[in-house]
Amino acid sequence: MDEKKTRPAVSGADLLVSNDRGMMDPPGHNPGPPVLTDVLVDGVPAKAGIGVFGTWSERIVLFFENEHPKYGKEWGTKYYMFDENEPGKVNWGHNGDSFRIEIIETDQS
């Protein structure tokens, strides 16, 4: 079985959606579907991105290949923060919840 090479996401910059769109974009502006990053969330394969996604405020979103036991198939929140002391740890919400996020490295050969 092939083990995926990963590195921890250390800040929101690691997951920014390059073609994000916001509420202030001109009418008719359509950059296409968001370009998301391949990740593992607590070891579960997913696509992740940080952006405004056509709204007014930034958020993190996760789309899982298979349902995650805690987060389901799709999940997102505006209330998140990368832990400065633990690379890859994302704290979210108001109740002390967190998950680990690892970026799947793509083979550039």
Side-chain angles (χ1 to χ4, degrees), residues 6-109:
T6 64
R7 66 176 174 84
V10 295
S11 74
D14 286 330
L15 300 175
L16 284 179
V17 174
S18 61
N19 66 334
D20 195 23
R21 62 183 180 83
M23 293 295 288
M24 297 302 289
D25 287 348
H29 176 74
N30 183 4
V35 177
L36 302 174
T37 302
D38 291 323
V39 298
L40 296 176
V41 177
D42 295 335
V44 179
K47 293 204 176 276
I50 292 177
V52 295
F53 301 99
T55 67
W56 294 104
S57 56
E58 187 176 273
R59 61 204 66 230
I60 186 171
V61 297
L62 306 172
F63 296 94
F64 293 93
E65 288 180 21
N66 297 303
E67 198 155 315
H68 186 283
K70 183 173 182 177
Y71 302 111
K73 191 77 171 151
E74 298 178 10
W75 182 89
T77 184
K78 296 189 299 182
Y79 307 104
Y80 69 96
M81 185 177 356
F82 285 79
D83 192 312
E84 294 177 0
N85 299 313
E86 282 189 60
K89 183 178 179 183
V90 178
N91 299 304
W92 65 271
H94 304 289
N95 298 317
D97 289 308
S98 67
F99 56 81
R100 297 205 54 77
I101 190 162
E102 299 276 330
I103 295 172
I104 298 172
E105 302 268 303
T106 56
D107 185 14
Q108 299 294 324
S109 49

